[in-house]
């Protein structure tokens, strides 16, 4: 196994040895993970892989080029860089950046062990397809074939339409399906799996339906990562700190480690740093004597925060609510009331941070029509974006689409019909 | 990672509006960076944000972590904060970076993929004081090259049969001495002049001048990075033309009619008296909103361009800035009658988002 890893990865013998050692240590501490395939790449290539969502074989799209451009600019001007990239497949693929220092590589290897354990055991990942690498390769073949047949621009424009709708999935569906619920239900209204419904019912040419199913599959694959970002990073950081201070570091490396670790878990104003909040959550749970392995299995970000965050945690972790000052328009600290901070945190994390949209009725005879409802929780939608999104949906469904939502407390109906979108007051 | 380069190239084509015009309205920033104070620039990260069902603007709030009292700003710099909602990655559309002016020019070149200029009529000057990488047989003692001197002495003693391996002794004579020397070398020397001409008649408003200002700044920055020496001359005109300093060029507001030929004549006179084309790389830029006094004056302008100006300059660039009153006729006339002359570049600038494209058009030929 060691020989294989070395052959495929370009890791130095020394680094391979460290990887073996750290993995053995992690297993001894109770982490359990699939085989990890470490690969060493230049920073630019890691950015390339990251732009493709971790899958270098992904289908061609300007969107990945856009992400690559952003990552490269950040790297070029020294504003941020990627240390490591871990892919949820079997074996787990972990990309290490060639110009990481030796200490950073050790830290990153330990961090990767944490992620790999999380992928294997967290229940939200239990339904993900571990052979996604080849799946994504097939998807790319599909897109290329369609582009050759239909023309690049036509296929690309259609893909963009689908990507506007990518968020219209039911984050709980894969888990329910795995627990034995009737998945076929998703092809019937009411459902949150709007993409699934459209794929089953809309009058589409074959290649368009295939692409729609592809986008939906990839969206479901990436969904658990959205819902467990804080936990996943927290878990990996908790373990890299524990493993490194349990014998991996040489004395000379301790200060550099502390520097590197505190850099990754620093405050960033106006934004939650998932590494920091995550590690604080697990440390808090450990100090209370909770079973960490059980927590990492059962929860997602929202439910873990619901369970662990209390007044003391809000105070010690210095969480606050911010908002725009109505006079100056600048963002400032508003309050630190624990109850309100927690409520807001939960609201932001629920449903993967997205508005909850349900398809409530579909008319398939005569004038084909779709009826959607936004389950309003106090946060209004961007109605202009909603108009444009409904037009995308209308193009697929070939019939008018209506979304009921609220704006400033008033009921609004956004409607797309015959290529025109408008906002109706109820 | 060739595949990602292909996707990046496609994205750039979209940003530049060459393909997929349907995406233009979702583009967040233009390509050009802006200066922030003396040293900092903000580097734009153009992002195309496809429409989605997402939360609206009333969400400029959220949960943060760290120190701060109630009422403290999150962003210590103050001003508009671009705090993104948690979990919404990539909220920023620009990076703030500190740079030197030379670096800025390099960035401009990189962002817009500008070709380096091949100066024409390149003169080479012999410059003293290169590096001491040469050897000669005469020189001051301070530059004596010991190893070469002894090697020379060794060669001589071996050749003359005095060399005795049992008693290896070398005594350099005067003729063996070797000295380090520098070598005068040809250094390409290039100089350029930029002539900025601007219409300051009543129809050129504040926004139009701002566009010209931004454009001229970047053009100067780029050309400065390409030449050792550069002079910049500012000419304004309404019905008559005059040379002004940089400050008044951008802020002067005249009124009255427009006679473009007046500027072209002044420009030509300057070239004839001060900037001989054999010695100078000449760049002329003219900005106006496209209105001219009379068709006859436009004819006069075109004659001046064709016969006098274009043969003398590296490039003549006409940038037509859209204004509420301008007819835009002048560019049409140029395009119609002088299309065959490749030293003339004309560009229409409707608003600030066109500036990057127009700079690329002006400087993209590498003249």
């Amino acid at each position: 196994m060691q020989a294989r890893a070395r052959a495929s990865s370009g890791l130095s013998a020394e680094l391979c040895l460290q990887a073996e050692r750290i993995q053995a240590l992690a297993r001894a501490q109770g982490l359990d993970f699939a085989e990890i395939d470490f690969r060493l790449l230049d920073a630019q290539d890691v950015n390339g892989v990251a732009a493709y969502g971790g899958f270098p074989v992904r289908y061609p799209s300007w969107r990945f080029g856009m992400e690559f451009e952003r990552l490269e600019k950040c790297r070029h001007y020294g504003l941020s860089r990627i240390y490591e990239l871990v892919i949820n497949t079997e074996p787990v693929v972990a990309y290490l950046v060639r110009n990481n220092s030796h200490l950073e590589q050790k830290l990153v290897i330990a961090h990767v062990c944490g992620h790999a354990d999380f992928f294997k055991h967290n229940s939200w990942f239990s339904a993900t397809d571990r052979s996604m690498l080849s799946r994504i390769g097939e998807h790319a073949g599909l897109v290329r074939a369609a582009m050759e047949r239909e023309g690049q621009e036509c296929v690309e424009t259609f893909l963009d339409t689908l990507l506007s709708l990518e968020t219209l999935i039911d984050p709980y569906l894969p888990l329910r399906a795995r627990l034995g619920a009737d998945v076929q239900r998703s092809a019937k209204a009411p459902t949150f799996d709007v993409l699934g419904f459209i794929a089953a019912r809309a009058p589409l040419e074959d290649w368009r339906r295939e692409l729609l199913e592809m986008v939906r599959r990839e969206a479901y694959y990436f969904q658990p990562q959205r819902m467990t970002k804080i936990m996943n990073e927290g878990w990996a950081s908790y373990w890299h700190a524990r493993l490194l201070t349990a014998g991996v570091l040489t004395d000379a490396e301790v200060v550099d480690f502390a520097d590197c670790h505190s850099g990754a878990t620093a405050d960033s104003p106006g934004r939650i740093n998932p590494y920091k909040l995550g590690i604080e959550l697990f440390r808090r749970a450990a100090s209370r004597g909770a079973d960490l392995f059980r927590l990492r299995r059962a929860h997602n970000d929202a439910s873990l925060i619901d369970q662990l965050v209390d007044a003391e945690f809000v105070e010690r972790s210095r969480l606050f609510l911010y908002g725009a000052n109505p006079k100056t328009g600048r963002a400032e600290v508003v309050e630190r009331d624990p109850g309100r901070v927690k409520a807001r945190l939960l609201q932001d994390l629920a449903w993967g941070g997205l508005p909850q949209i349900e398809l409530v009725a579909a008319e398939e005879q005569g004038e084909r029509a779709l009826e959607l409802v936004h389950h309003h929780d106090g946060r209004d939608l961007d109605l202009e974006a909603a108009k444009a999104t409904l037009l995308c949906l209308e193009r697929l469904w070939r019939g008018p689409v209506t979304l009921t939502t609220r704006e400033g407390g008033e009921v609004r109906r956004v409607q797309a019909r015959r290529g025109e979108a408008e906002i109706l007051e109820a | 990672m060739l595949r990602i380069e292909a996707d990046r190239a496609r994205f750039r084509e979209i940003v530049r509006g060459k393909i997929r015009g349907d995406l233009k309205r979702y583009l967040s920033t233009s390509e050009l960076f802006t200066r922030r104070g003396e040293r900092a620039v903000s580097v734009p990260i153009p992002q195309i944000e496809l429409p989605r069902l997402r939360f609206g603007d009333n969400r400029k709030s959220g949960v943060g972590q760290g120190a701060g009292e109630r009422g403290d700003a999150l962003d210590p710099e103050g001003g508009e904060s671009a705090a993104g909602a948690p979990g919404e990655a990539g909220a920023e559309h620009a990076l703030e970076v500190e740079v030197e002016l030379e670096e800025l020019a390099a960035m401009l070149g990189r962002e817009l993929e500008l070709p380096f200029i091949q100066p024409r009529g390149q003169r080479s000057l012999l410059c003293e004081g290169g590096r001491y990488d040469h050897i000669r047989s005469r020189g001051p003692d301070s530059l004596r090259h010991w190893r070469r001197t002894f090697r020379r002495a060794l060669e001589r003693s071996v050749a003359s049969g005095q060399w005795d391996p049992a008693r290896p002794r070398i005594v350099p004579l005067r003729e063996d001495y070797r000295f380090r020397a520098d070598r005068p070398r040809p250094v390409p020397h290039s100089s350029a002049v930029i002539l900025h001409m601007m219409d300051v008649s009543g129809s050129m408003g504040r926004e139009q001048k701002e566009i010209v200002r931004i454009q001229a700044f970047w053009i100067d920055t780029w050309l400065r990075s390409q030449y050792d020496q550069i002079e910049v001359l500012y000419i304004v005109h309404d019905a008559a033309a005059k040379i002004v300093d940089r400050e008044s060029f951008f802020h002067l507001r005249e009124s009255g009619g427009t006679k473009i030929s007046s500027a072209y004549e002044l420009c030509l006179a300057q070239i004839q008296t001060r900037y001989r084309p054999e010695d100078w790389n000449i760049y002329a830029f003219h900005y106006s909103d496209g209105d001219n006094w009379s068709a006859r004056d436009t004819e006069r302008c075109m004659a001046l361009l064709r016969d006098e100006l274009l043969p003398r300059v590296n490039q003549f660039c006409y940038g037509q800035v859209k204004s509420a009153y301008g007819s835009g006729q002048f560019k049409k006339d140029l395009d119609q009658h002088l299309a065959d002359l490749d030293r003339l570049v004309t560009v229409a600038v409707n608003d600030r988002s066109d500036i990057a494209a127009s700079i690329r058009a002006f400087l993209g030929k590498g003249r």
Side-chain angles (χ1 to χ4, degrees), chain B residues 30-48:
Chain B
S30 79
E31 296 170 75
L32 205 66
F33 28 80
T34 44
R35 288 189 86 178
R36 293 273 174 90
E38 266 308 293
R39 297 273 302 276
V41 283
S42 90
V43 179
I45 305 181
Q47 295 276 298
I48 296 168

Side-chain angles (χ1 to χ4, degrees), chain B residues 330-354:
Chain B
F330 195 67
K331 178 174 185 300
K332 280 183 214 155
D333 290 335
L334 291 184
D335 289 342
Q336 203 176 344
H337 297 287
L338 301 177
D340 53 322
L341 299 171
D342 60 359
R343 283 188 191 171
L344 177 71
V345 180
T346 67
V347 168
V349 185
N350 293 322
D351 54 47
R352 291 184 192 207
S353 66
D354 290 339

Side-chain angles (χ1 to χ4, degrees), chain A residues 52 56 58 66 69 73 144 156 160 163-164 166 280 317-318 320 322 331-333 336 344 379-380 382, chain B residues 3 7-8 10 20 44 48 51-52 54 56 59 61-62 64-66 68 71-72 74 84 110-111:
Chain A
Y52 281 124
R58 220 156 168 206
M66 171 170 88
E69 179 106 340
K73 274 194 179 157
R144 282 171 207 283
E156 191 185 67
D160 290 349
L163 292 166
S164 282
E166 175 183 51
E280 283 169 357
S317 289
R318 303 191 300 169
F320 60 80
Y322 68 83
E332 55 189 39
V333 178
R336 291 178 178 274
R344 179 57 200 268
R379 296 174 291 176
D380 293 347
D382 174 344
Chain B
R3 297 192 38 231
D7 287 330
R8 178 200 242 180
R10 186 142 181 100
R20 296 291 311 276
I48 296 168
R52 295 199 164 176
R54 59 171 173 255
R59 305 308 302 156
S61 61
Q65 197 169 7
D72 285 355
L74 293 190
R110 209 160 43 225
E111 293 297 321

Side-chain angles (χ1 to χ4, degrees), chain B residues 233-236 241-245 266 270 274:
Chain B
L233 212 62
Y234 298 96
I235 296 174
V236 294
K242 63 184 169 193
I243 294 176
V244 295
D245 61 23
L266 183 57
Q270 288 297 316
R274 289 167 65 183

